[in-house]
Amino acid sequence: MTGTEQPGVRLPQLKLDELLEELQARIDAARGTRDRVHSLLEAVLSVGRELELEQALHSIVEAAAALVDAEYAALGVIGPDGTTLAAFHTVGLSEERIAEIGPYPEGHGILGELIRHPEPLRLSKLSAHSSSYGFPPGHPPMNTFLGVPIRVRDQVFGNLYLTEKRGGVDFDEEDESVLATLAVAAGVAIDNARLYEDSRLRERWLLANAEISHSLMSGSERAEALDLIAERAREITGSALAAVAMPMPDTEAIGVEIAVGAQSDAHRGLVLPLDRSLMGLAFTAAAPVTSDDVAHDSRVSQDPPRFDGLGPAVAVPIGTGGGGVRGVLLLARESDRSVFSDKETEMLRGFAAQAAIAMELAERRQAAQQIALLEDRDRIARDLHDLAIQRLFATGMTLQSAGRFIEHPEASERVLRAVDDLDETIKIIRSTIFGLRAREGAAASGLRARVVRVAGEAAPVLGFAPSVRMEGLVDTDVPGEIADHVVAVLSESLTNIARHAHADRAEVLLAADGHEVRLRVRDNGVGIPSGGRRSGLRNMAERAERLGGSLDVAKTEGGGATLEWRVPLPAS
């Protein structure tokens, strides 16, 4: 330096263009970071908008692949056992490639490493890790790897798996940080989707309960209500089979009354032991009983075969241990479907308990209506006995007395005929009173009720309803053995009328006077043809002779036939 040179600032030993390049790189990095943060925020917003769980999971996988520029991405959902994957959502593989690879992974190898140790894992080469044991045939080659866990309320829900970062480079710390941030947002989104799914599911169960309650309270038969319970439970749980079994009195078994869906024909009508069936075990324990594979469950009798193609199953009692178990609801899914979770079982149990309450309320309502009906019948019977019969009897006595003062023979005969008609009317009213006073418990199996039932069942075959009249203490005086014969003879008689008589009217009279029981069946048909088959009449005659009675068959005046079957009653 000469004395004339002015001192100045020494520039750094870098060329100007190198400084500009470094500055540009830092600007690009800042812009890249800004863009990545923006993309992350967009991904978080996109994931958070999803309320359907399956769609939310798919959106999370797509966002993860885009954020770290990975060719392949997957989200594995950890199963209830905490050691395997229950579901696997992928991005980057075509349907054809997925089909070629085969079943989804269960959580072994590197995938299982994150299940056992839920911490971020970054690898330059998958095969170099000690837990790696290769890929199945048809699987694309994968080297670089990045995995992070997804937590929902401090519980590990699943893991994000990213492979093959584009450009042939490794995943870096920034990729890991971005993916970890997305995983936090994904956990919130999954939790929201679960809550939404639970609320919708509970709403469906509530609607189903309301439908069943309305059906029962509207007077539907029990079979219709049970069918509705089975069908709604099958729909809501996505089951292939639903069956309802009810206890069989005085036995150690339950009978399947309702079955809908797959294998329903094989289940309907089965009588199952309490100790060798899923439904029996649930009935005995008054608590839900589940099976991961009901087709191969050692607790369940496989005879007869009825679980082909079915796997996960649950049997839930209808009712509670305290209030009494009314029956059992069985649900089974296809063998490749997921097992019933604790939450599903809990909701199903609540549904069954509510259904049992609805059934009990309906039964009590019917019982109250029945009591009101019986009370009304008692009132009518009293009125008929105390008012109608007394007046008719008095009228008959008056006419009978007045008949002695009538000199004209034809007029006197008409009065006496009117008296006879009044006596016949009194008999009919008395028979009606006996019927009105019959109670459901005793009369349901009594001779009076059985005769009415046989006549009612014959009406569709006859084409008309036969008239039925009963006199005396039919239920009290006629013992069970003779009553069985009476019912058999009546059924045979009405069947013969339907087949051969071509009648449009039939009358049935059953009378018991304490000494004998008499059954008379009369029709207005063509009568009994000569040379016709007599096997039915012979059977009826043999029944009477066996009991010391008789059978008489005669032509009815004006056409038709009259059958009279008489049997003596044992001395009381």
Side-chain angles (χ1 to χ4, degrees):
M1 178 182 298
T2 61
T4 58
E5 291 176 340
Q6 297 295 324
V9 178
R10 187 181 297 271
L11 292 175
Q13 300 299 312
L14 291 174
K15 297 180 180 179
L16 184 58
D17 55 348
E18 291 178 349
L19 284 172
L20 292 175
E21 286 179 4
E22 182 179 352
L23 180 60
Q24 185 62 45
R26 293 186 179 183
I27 292 174
D28 291 341
R31 185 181 292 114
T33 301
R34 183 201 64 186
D35 293 341
R36 198 163 199 186
V37 170
H38 182 70
S39 299
L40 177 60
L41 291 174
E42 284 187 343
V44 169
L45 291 173
S46 174
V47 167
R49 280 194 294 264
E50 298 293 344
L51 289 177
E52 295 289 343
L53 182 58
E54 291 298 312
Q55 186 58 43
L57 297 178
H58 189 72
S59 297
I60 291 168
V61 180
E62 288 184 330
L67 282 173
V68 299
D69 203 20
E71 187 174 354
Y72 305 109
L75 194 159
V77 180
I78 299 175
D81 60 1
T83 61
T84 58
L85 296 178
F88 203 69
H89 303 267
T90 64
V91 167
L93 292 174
S94 64
E95 294 295 330
E96 293 78 9
R97 178 59 69 89
I98 293 173
E100 184 181 351
I101 294 172
Y104 281 121
E106 296 180 356
H108 305 295
I110 295 296
L111 304 186
E113 181 70 19
L114 262 76
I115 296 176
R116 293 185 295 272
H117 306 287
E119 299 293 338
L121 178 63
R122 197 156 32 96
L123 301 172
S124 298
K125 195 168 185 61
L126 270 170
S127 58
H129 196 278
S130 59
S131 297
S132 178
Y133 65 92
F135 298 106
H139 198 285
M142 295 181 179
N143 291 300
T144 56
F145 173 85
L146 175 60
V148 296
I150 297 177
R151 287 181 169 83
V152 177
R153 299 192 180 189
D154 297 327
Q155 296 292 324
V156 179
F157 172 83
N159 297 299
L160 277 171
Y161 307 108
L162 289 302
T163 61
E164 293 301 290
K165 184 175 177 67
R166 300 182 190 277
V169 296
D170 293 344
F171 293 104
D172 55 24
E173 291 183 3
E174 189 174 336
D175 293 327
E176 181 180 320
S177 177
V178 168
L179 202 60
T181 304
L182 178 66
V184 173
V188 175
I190 291 169
D191 192 31
N192 288 338
R194 275 179 162 180
L195 293 173
Y196 176 71
E197 190 176 70
D198 287 350
S199 66
R200 290 190 61 187
L201 191 58
R202 292 184 189 277
E203 181 182 6
R204 293 185 68 187
W205 283 122
L206 289 173
L207 290 174
N209 271 318
E211 185 180 5
I212 292 165
S213 299
H214 180 268
S215 174
L216 285 167
M217 293 302 179
S218 299
S220 297
E221 294 296 327
R222 187 184 74 163
E224 295 179 18
L226 295 180
D227 186 75
L228 189 59
I229 289 171
E231 192 60 56
R232 292 296 174 267
R234 187 175 74 93
E235 291 173 0
I236 295 174
T237 61
S239 300
L241 167 72
V244 177
M246 306 300 285
M248 304 182 69
D250 303 322
T251 66
E252 292 295 318
I254 54 176
V256 180
E257 295 190 9
I258 302 294
V260 293
Q263 305 293 328
S264 58
D265 291 339
H267 281 79
R268 198 176 295 116
L270 280 180
V271 176
L272 301 171
L274 295 180
D275 60 342
R276 294 287 293 158
S277 65
L278 213 63
M279 302 176 92
L281 294 172
F283 179 83
T284 303
V289 178
T290 60
S291 175
D292 293 347
D293 186 2
V294 70
H296 301 92
D297 196 319
S298 60
R299 299 171 297 171
V300 179
S301 170
Q302 300 300 324
D303 185 31
R306 59 193 185 277
F307 294 115
D308 291 344
L310 301 177
V314 60
V316 180
I318 300 175
T320 60
V325 178
R326 294 176 170 270
V328 180
L329 170 63
L330 171 72
L331 295 170
R333 289 171 173 159
E334 291 92 344
S335 56
D336 59 347
R337 295 286 305 280
S338 61
V339 299
F340 287 88
S341 66
D342 292 342
K343 184 175 292 185
E344 285 180 309
T345 304
E346 177 191 351
M347 290 187 178
L348 188 59
R349 187 176 188 178
F351 166 74
Q354 289 297 320
I357 293 173
M359 292 172 66
E360 183 175 355
L361 289 174
E363 288 174 4
R364 295 196 177 191
R365 178 172 173 268
Q366 290 174 355
Q369 291 176 338
Q370 187 66 21
I371 290 172
L373 176 63
L374 293 175
E375 289 176 347
D376 197 40
R377 286 181 177 179
D378 279 342
R379 179 187 58 77
I380 295 172
R382 285 194 304 270
D383 291 347
L384 286 173
H385 184 272
D386 297 341
L387 301 176
I389 287 182
Q390 301 303 324
R391 288 192 175 190
L392 288 173
F393 187 76
T395 302
M397 293 288 290
T398 301
L399 288 174
Q400 196 171 22
S401 299
R404 293 196 299 268
F405 301 103
I406 299 174
E407 297 180 357
H408 194 283
E410 185 176 347
S412 178
E413 183 183 352
R414 288 187 178 183
V415 170
L416 292 176
R417 197 160 54 238
V419 172
D420 292 338
D421 288 342
L422 286 174
D423 287 340
E424 192 69 19
T425 302
I426 290 173
K427 290 180 180 179
I428 293 172
I429 293 176
R430 279 179 173 159
S431 178
T432 302
I433 290 172
F434 280 121
L436 288 171
R437 284 180 172 167
R439 291 296 187 268
E440 284 291 320
S445 58
L447 179 56
R448 185 182 300 275
R450 294 172 67 186
V451 167
V452 172
R453 188 158 55 243
V454 169
E457 291 171 352
V461 181
L462 290 167
F464 58 89
S467 66
V468 179
R469 196 178 82 210
M470 284 174 262
E471 298 176 1
L473 303 177
V474 173
D475 287 336
T476 304
D477 290 346
V478 183
E481 181 184 358
I482 296 178
D484 292 340
H485 287 288
V486 170
V487 172
V489 170
L490 175 60
S491 179
E492 181 72 22
S493 301
L494 294 176
T495 300
N496 287 341
I497 293 173
R499 289 177 178 173
H500 311 297
H502 304 291
D504 58 15
R505 187 174 72 253
E507 300 171 358
V508 176
L509 168 66
L510 178 64
D513 59 5
H515 302 289
E516 72 171 9
V517 59
R518 178 166 57 97
L519 174 66
R520 187 180 71 200
V521 182
R522 178 184 295 166
D523 69 79
N524 66 342
V526 298
I528 300 176
S530 59
R533 293 182 60 187
R534 304 280 175 161
S535 58
L537 293 175
R538 187 167 56 252
N539 290 337
M540 287 186 260
E542 289 176 356
R543 287 178 182 274
E545 291 169 3
R546 199 179 308 147
L547 297 170
S550 62
L551 172 70
D552 296 317
V553 181
K555 290 184 178 180
T556 302
E557 186 178 349
T562 299
L563 178 148
E564 192 154 315
W565 189 86
R566 294 172 177 267
V567 168
L569 294 174
S572 56

